[in-house]
Amino acid sequence: MMRKLSLLFAGALMGASAMSLVYGAPGSAANAAGSETYKQLAIFGDIFERVRANYVTPPDDKSLVENAINGMLASLDPHSSYMNAEQAQDMRVQTKGEFGGLGIEVTMENDLVKVITPIDDTPAAKAGVLAGDYIAKIDGEEVRGLTLNDAVEKMRGPVNTPIKLTILRQGADKPIELTVVRDIIKVKAVKFRVENDIGYMKITSFTEKTYDDLENAIETIKKQVPDDKLKGYVLDLRLNPGGLLDQAVSVSDAFLKRGEIVSTRGRDPKDVTRFDAKPKQVDDINGKPMIVLVNGGSASASEIVAGALQDLRRVTVVGTQSFGKGSVQTIIPLGENGALRLTTALYYTPSGKSIQGKGITPDIKVDQPLPPDLQGRDLTRGESDLKGHIKGADESSTGSGSAAYVPPDPKDDLQLIYAEQLLRGQKTDPSFPPNPDKAVLNQ
């Protein structure tokens, strides 16, 4: 049975996050603990020693400590966690948007690694890896029995080092042996194309490269379609789990001439940070109409973008209720290259509303039917369903989230089709085009 999980070759991107990075001396001083706290810590130390001395099999000390830390953080909310050195490095690779690898998008099927597609001009593509290939062995080791993450980890490595893949290919009478030399793989955070008279841009995640990739997409679309022929743009944020807060602000800024994009508010009522668009005469798409697509897979940083553009009446949002993660995680470096991912603030849209546990409500709801093989499965994703989530100020019993599914073939994508019909005037709705004079702002 196929597991519905695919990884770009850096491994899974950070799940549902808006992150800010903090650099400086690890282990910054915290508030002094009271005497009662130290008593509780003494109890913890006692239990730790008794487990080490008396558990039926000798436990791993490092694992005990890491699990104890993660247990403490998990009791706060689902998004705070401790990252050991390896996990912290993974996070840095993912947010950077480039890594040493082969350049293939993969999934797990029938206990083998299946190649979804090789990325153009990467070592895998040049070595002859094809979409649909099954990787049976990695450097002579059987893939069966490995998790997808384990297999991906084995295929990563330093640039200019070789790796031997044993491939099973339909139509081939015997396994194919390929040697691939790892190289720097730059992951495109923005995929784009021209749909006749419409520019389509899909942001897959918010990494350090997202804004630059977006600008490249806009400029390329402008060159391909004359301004008088271009009806507008579709910005697809579906299945986008989030990423870097500053990139969400930059992306929003690209489509705005002025106005607040987002504010973050910490524990102290005075701890409010506001992010505004840079004042300008015209935005990066020359004021062309734009539709933003969201669904239950649109979370955090992608909700910042959708919420800002919706509140300022720059776009019409089409799709279904977004995930509803309105918290910001700060990455704090620790000793031995580990890091703490800690929820330090909640973010608010320009209207002053919290998305936490609520999500972005589309201006036009368009449901996407599931194909027969997925019917009966619950693909709904939402922050409000997560155990221990922070209850949002505007959260209701309705909760957040919706189905997180996008058809692989655009011909079956009802949400995209609806957006294009709006832009071409084949459908009409009171919310399109939006009126910037009716922007909803926090007074």
Side-chain angles (χ1 to χ4, degrees):
M1 178 189 295
M2 179 177 178
R3 276 186 267 174
K4 298 292 181 180
L5 172 65
S6 64
L7 297 180
L8 206 55
F9 212 87
L13 288 170
M14 71 296 294
S17 57
M19 298 192 301
S20 59
L21 306 181
V22 172
Y23 299 98
S28 300
N31 292 332
S35 59
E36 184 61 31
T37 302
Y38 285 116
K39 290 179 182 178
Q40 296 297 320
L41 288 173
I43 293 173
F44 170 79
D46 184 33
I47 292 173
F48 177 73
E49 290 302 332
R50 289 178 183 275
V51 170
R52 293 182 69 221
N54 300 316
Y55 189 66
V56 63
T57 57
D60 178 71
D61 290 356
K62 182 180 178 182
S63 178
L64 284 177
V65 173
E66 287 187 5
N67 285 322
I69 294 171
N70 272 315
M72 173 181 65
L73 295 170
S75 71
L76 300 175
D77 69 85
H79 306 293
S80 294
S81 64
Y82 166 72
M83 294 177 284
N84 59 30
E86 182 179 326
Q87 293 164 337
Q89 176 60 24
D90 255 0
M91 182 274 299
R92 286 188 284 270
V93 166
Q94 292 163 16
T95 57
K96 189 175 182 181
E98 63 181 44
F99 53 92
L102 309 184
I104 50 177
E105 187 178 350
V106 296
T107 189
M108 204 77 176
E109 187 174 311
N110 300 323
D111 295 326
L112 298 176
V113 174
K114 182 179 181 180
V115 178
I116 297 174
T117 183
I119 303 171
D120 291 340
D121 297 320
T122 61
K126 293 174 182 178
V129 177
L130 302 178
D133 283 349
Y134 288 89
I135 300 174
K137 294 181 181 180
I138 302 171
D139 280 335
E141 181 180 345
E142 292 281 351
V143 167
R144 292 184 190 276
L146 298 178
T147 65
L148 183 57
N149 280 326
D150 289 339
V152 166
E153 187 63 32
K154 287 183 177 297
M155 288 187 280
R156 292 179 188 168
V159 173
N160 295 325
T161 59
I163 181 173
K164 185 176 180 181
L165 303 178
T166 302
I167 288 174
L168 307 180
R169 181 175 296 167
Q170 186 174 5
D173 56 2
K174 61 180 181 179
I176 299 169
E177 303 284 351
L178 293 177
T179 298
V180 187
V181 179
R182 299 178 179 94
D183 201 352
I184 291 292
I185 308 301
K186 296 183 178 180
V187 181
K188 289 291 183 184
V190 181
K191 299 178 181 179
F192 66 94
R193 63 178 183 269
V194 169
E195 296 276 358
N196 297 318
D197 52 1
I198 292 173
Y200 171 85
M201 302 177 294
K202 179 178 180 61
I203 300 180
T204 57
S205 60
F206 288 87
T207 70
E208 292 177 11
K209 298 182 177 296
T210 299
Y211 176 72
D212 290 340
D213 285 355
L214 177 70
E215 288 296 291
N216 175 64
I218 292 171
E219 291 306 311
T220 303
I221 291 170
K222 286 180 178 178
K223 291 176 182 177
Q224 293 181 4
V225 186
D227 188 68
D228 61 336
K229 302 291 185 184
L230 188 61
K231 298 291 186 185
Y233 294 81
V234 173
L235 182 66
D236 193 348
L237 298 177
R238 295 172 299 175
L239 305 183
N240 183 317
L244 297 176
L245 174 61
D246 66 330
Q247 290 290 310
V249 171
S250 295
V251 166
S252 302
D253 188 19
F255 305 112
L256 295 170
K257 293 190 291 184
R258 64 185 61 84
E260 180 180 305
I261 293 171
V262 67
S263 62
T264 63
R265 308 178 192 180
R267 182 166 67 180
D268 186 337
K270 298 178 182 178
D271 183 15
V272 179
T273 303
R274 301 185 187 280
F275 299 86
D276 298 318
K278 302 180 186 72
K280 44 188 175 288
Q281 293 299 313
V282 65
D283 63 34
D284 292 6
I285 58 173
N286 302 324
K288 289 284 185 180
M290 188 165 77
I291 306 288
V292 169
L293 299 178
V294 299
N295 67 5
S298 307
S300 205
S302 58
E303 293 175 293
I304 289 175
V305 175
L309 299 180
Q310 183 185 52
D311 278 3
L312 297 175
R313 297 295 187 260
R314 175 60 184 91
V315 306
T316 297
V317 178
V318 171
T320 55
Q321 198 80 7
S322 67
F323 187 86
K325 180 185 172 294
S327 60
V328 178
Q329 281 66 50
T330 298
I331 307 301
I332 304 169
L334 300 174
E336 300 298 325
N337 298 317
L340 170 63
R341 185 200 302 260
L342 188 65
T343 299
T344 54
L346 298 176
Y347 69 77
Y348 293 77
T349 69
S351 65
K353 292 182 179 178
S354 169
I355 293 170
Q356 178 67 13
K358 180 180 180 182
I360 299 292
T361 301
D363 299 303
I364 305 174
K365 183 181 179 183
V366 178
D367 289 311
Q368 177 63 54
L370 297 178
D373 63 320
L374 292 180
Q375 288 179 6
R377 299 189 188 184
D378 184 10
L379 298 184
T380 301
R381 300 291 181 269
E383 174 81 6
S384 59
D385 294 326
L386 298 181
K387 183 180 179 181
H389 78 280
I390 298 171
K391 189 171 179 62
D394 298 309
E395 183 176 344
S396 67
S397 58
T398 305
S400 63
S402 61
Y405 172 73
V406 177
D409 189 339
K411 294 178 182 178
D412 301 323
D413 192 339
L414 300 188
Q415 294 166 338
L416 174 59
I417 291 170
Y418 196 100
E420 293 179 344
Q421 289 175 334
L422 280 175
L423 289 169
R424 293 185 177 120
Q426 297 165 340
K427 283 189 181 295
T428 60
D429 189 276
S431 63
F432 181 80
N435 184 353
D437 293 334
K438 295 184 178 181
V440 183
L441 303 177
N442 187 23
Q443 302 298 326

